[in-house]
Amino acid sequence: MPLSGNPIRSKIRAATDNAVTGLAILATLLVIAPLLAIFGYLIYKGASSVNLDFFTKIPKPVGEEGGGMANAIVGSAVLLALGTIIGVPVGIGGGIYLAEFGRGTKLANAVRFTADVLNGVPSIVMGMAAYALLVGPQVSWLPFLGHFSAFAGGVALGIMMIPTVCRTTEEMLLMVPHAVREAALGLGVPNWRSVLSITVKTASPGIITGCMLAFARVAGETAPLIFTALGNEYWSLDLNQPIAALPLQIYKYALSPYDEWHRLAWAGALVLIVLIVLSVSLVRYVTSRGVLKGAS
Amino acid sequence: MGVGIEVTNLNAWYGTNHTLQDINLHIPANHATALIGPSGCGKSTFVRCLNRMHETNPIARVTGGVKVGDVDIYADAKPVEIRRRIGMVFQRPNPFPTMSIYDNVASGLKLNGYRNRRVLDEIVEKSLRNSALWDEVKDDLRKKSGASLSGGQQQRLCIARALAVDPEVLLMDEPASALDPVSTSKIEDLIFELKSQYTIVIVTHNMQQAARVAEKTGFFLNGRLVEFDSTHKIFTNPSDKRTEDYITGRFG
């Protein structure tokens, strides 16, 4: 008897279909809800304090009205640039090794395990490690060691980016179909060339996503910066000196007893999130412009 | 121009699996040679030994000699150089998805460091004309990805890509098995055209296809070459009982 012949069964099937679809929609809403709630609350609390001064002035002393976080915004940009310069090349290079050249070797397995462990290390521990390695030791002939500095903060953020970038790069490279690699080898292209020009290029949208995830994650990190970049109330672009950062400034202001500083902390949090979203969108836009019609 | 291939005592393994046993044959220059046989009989492994693709699998091993023209490919040359002289077209069309149609065709040259734009333009056009794809794609060369074409067009793009490096031999591993009948007949017409310039070795499950395009046919069974002769003889009066059973559909 054909399945569609029984009207009761047919109704049960339709009901099940609706129920499962409904559950999926509900789950989707639950995923989006916290994001919208946080963003909405930030706008509610912080939007009124976001003005031109916020982006152009440095913090005012306690008791004075106004002031902004211009130095912290620039400081965060410097720290993130340093972190990205360190974290992205090392992470991508490591990922290429894991997926292409070292596959199945003991070294690769050890590196993969280490990266996974590193990914799970709390950021405060990462900050302490960076402190012990970069801020603590006094080496007179090395300029960047021995004191709090933007350099130490950038290194801490960079190290935090490495495992995420490394593992997503590996995963994305492994997703490139074997047929594509064979096509390159079949043309008489040397293996290293095929890896760099074909495999990595094919996987590049996913690799860029991985880099953006790592970037967005460390952009909001406070703990590793407390022990390294320290924070700064004044303008500074000197990599050898403590530097301000948005998360540090938010942390400091939020813990303070002053209403004016609380308002600025809310505004800082809102600006931080908007800047992260903007920079991620910008990278996506720039990297998607070269994509051809019909490319998967 | 194509060159002949002389295979002597070729053996191949995947791990402990002895997939090719004592293969000896001569593939004539500027002809199409078809290899038929049931799945798993070793015909794909055999063509992959002809351009040293077999050894890209870490557990694979080969012994014996393959002479392409005057060059013993397992003794006198690096695998990379061999694969430039012996093009390959795979079962599933595999254009580079991130590259335009133009870059797909030029990829073999570009990735080996060739840069002269004017010469590249000429080679791309010639290769696409040779693979009967030029008229369908000439307006979208740089605009569209190779992956945006239909399956049959993609396979002809892959043929153009293989032709662009100017090989002497073209290996085709079931090039039409994933295509519809119209695309298949285009590929077959193409093989007919290309024979004058290249030596063609085609693996196929389709016996009518072997009969249509090839002058010579080899029948593989369980890792051995059972019979190798003119296509006409194989399909009308095979010497071996197993060949006859296979082509008359009694097994496989």
Side-chain angles (χ1 to χ4, degrees), chain A residues 179 182-183 185-186 188 292-293, chain B residues 48 80 83-84 94 100 145:
Chain A
E182 284 211 315
L185 291 177
L292 295 151
K293 237 196 254 172
Chain B
R48 291 169 67 87
V80 168
R83 294 183 201 129
R84 263 175 244 166
N94 54 359
S100 66
S145 154

Side-chain angles (χ1 to χ4, degrees), chain A residues 59-203:
Chain A
K60 289 249 168 86
V62 184
E64 277 185 50
E65 288 285 304
M69 292 194 182
N71 60 338
I73 294 171
V74 173
S76 267
V78 170
L79 287 168
L80 285 170
L82 256 176
T84 306
I85 288 169
I86 294 163
V88 165
V90 176
I92 291 181
I96 292 174
Y97 175 78
L98 289 183
E100 301 293 332
F101 300 117
R103 207 187 299 179
T105 62
K106 277 187 180 161
L107 177 62
N109 291 336
V111 169
R112 188 178 300 110
F113 180 72
T114 315
D116 286 342
V117 172
L118 199 60
N119 220 353
V121 171
S123 57
I124 187 94
V125 177
M126 216 59 125
M128 284 157 66
Y131 177 88
L133 287 171
L134 298 171
V135 182
Q138 303 287 335
V139 184
S140 56
W141 47 273
L142 279 175
F144 288 118
L145 288 190
H147 53 262
F148 296 110
S149 67
F151 172 76
V155 171
L157 294 186
I159 291 172
M160 290 198 64
M161 289 176 79
I162 291 172
T164 316
V165 174
C166 180
R167 293 290 272 127
T168 36
T169 301
E170 184 196 5
E171 300 291 330
M172 292 303 141
L173 289 174
L174 291 179
M175 276 169 61
V176 174
H178 189 61
V180 172
R181 298 161 204 265
E182 284 211 315
L185 291 177
L187 286 170
V189 177
N191 191 37
W192 65 269
R193 189 75 212 240
S194 151
V195 167
L196 292 183
S197 303
I198 305 291
T199 321
V200 173
K201 200 176 162 198
T202 308

Side-chain angles (χ1 to χ4, degrees), chain A residues 222-240:
Chain A
T222 320
L225 297 179
I226 296 174
F227 295 108
T228 50
L230 191 67
N232 194 330
E233 296 297 305
Y234 303 98
W235 275 113
S236 173
L237 286 173
D238 191 345
L239 295 186
N240 210 5

Side-chain angles (χ1 to χ4, degrees), chain B residues 232-251:
Chain B
H232 185 70
K233 174 134 188 341
I234 293 274
F235 283 105
T236 53
N237 186 22
S239 328
D240 196 291
K241 179 80 171 62
R242 290 167 294 176
T243 314
E244 191 182 337
D245 286 349
Y246 183 71
I247 60 166
T248 52
R250 248 166 262 167
F251 75 89

Side-chain angles (χ1 to χ4, degrees), chain B:
Chain B
M1 283 303 281
V3 292
I5 303 172
E6 194 71 51
V7 177
T8 42
N9 295 324
L10 187 74
N11 282 273
W13 291 263
Y14 275 115
T16 53
N17 193 0
H18 197 171
T19 44
L20 281 182
Q21 298 168 36
D22 301 319
I23 308 293
N24 289 283
L25 85 165
H26 173 78
I27 295 169
N30 291 96
H31 285 75
T33 301
L35 305 175
I36 59 170
S39 293
C41 67
K43 54 199 189 311
S44 283
T45 305
F46 176 74
V47 289
R48 291 169 67 87
C49 286
L50 298 183
N51 69 343
R52 299 188 65 172
M53 281 295 280
H54 179 62
E55 67 200 64
T56 59
N57 187 322
I59 62 164
R61 202 158 58 82
V62 185
T63 64
V66 176
K67 237 177 147 184
V68 175
D70 298 328
V71 183
D72 182 340
I73 64 166
Y74 281 96
D76 305 338
K78 289 184 189 157
V80 168
E81 290 161 10
I82 287 307
R83 294 183 201 129
R84 263 175 244 166
R85 291 183 52 201
I86 306 175
M88 190 158 196
V89 176
F90 298 83
Q91 182 173 3
R92 296 208 156 266
N94 54 359
F96 299 126
T98 54
M99 289 189 190
S100 66
I101 293 166
Y102 181 98
D103 285 337
N104 258 289
V105 181
S107 57
L109 293 163
K110 277 188 169 176
L111 290 173
N112 282 312
Y114 203 82
R115 286 280 171 271
N116 187 327
R117 179 78 183 262
R118 207 169 45 83
V119 179
L120 280 179
D121 283 353
E122 271 170 31
I123 291 173
V124 168
E125 177 169 348
K126 187 172 149 231
S127 306
L128 284 169
R129 281 189 192 282
N130 274 337
S131 68
L133 189 60
W134 175 253
D135 290 329
E136 292 161 58
V137 301
K138 64 182 175 206
D139 299 325
D140 304 312
L141 282 181
R142 288 190 175 77
K143 271 180 280 174
K144 277 194 183 170
S145 154
S148 69
L149 301 174
S150 74
Q153 289 175 323
Q154 285 188 20
Q155 195 61 301
R156 278 178 284 148
L157 178 65
C158 292
I159 293 173
R161 180 175 67 186
L163 297 180
V165 289
D166 198 24
E168 291 150 13
V169 178
L170 197 56
L171 307 175
M172 304 177 113
D173 190 357
E174 298 183 43
S177 65
L179 305 180
D180 66 70
V182 176
S183 303
T184 301
S185 86
K186 281 188 182 161
I187 301 275
E188 287 178 10
D189 290 347
L190 200 52
I191 294 170
F192 233 88
E193 298 278 317
L194 294 174
K195 289 201 280 217
S196 58
Q197 300 168 59
Y198 308 92
T199 303
I200 291 175
V201 182
I202 175 172
V203 170
T204 179
H205 270 294
N206 180 333
M207 281 180 272
Q208 287 80 12
Q209 185 170 64
R212 282 192 295 262
V213 301
E215 286 85 9
K216 290 267 201 170
T217 295
F219 172 59
F220 279 77
L221 187 65
N222 298 330
R224 292 181 183 277
L225 180 64
V226 173
E227 191 168 350
F228 184 68
D229 214 320
S230 79
T231 302
H232 185 70
K233 174 134 188 341
I234 293 274
F235 283 105
T236 53
N237 186 22
S239 328
D240 196 291
K241 179 80 171 62
R242 290 167 294 176
T243 314
E244 191 182 337
D245 286 349
Y246 183 71
I247 60 166
T248 52
R250 248 166 262 167
F251 75 89

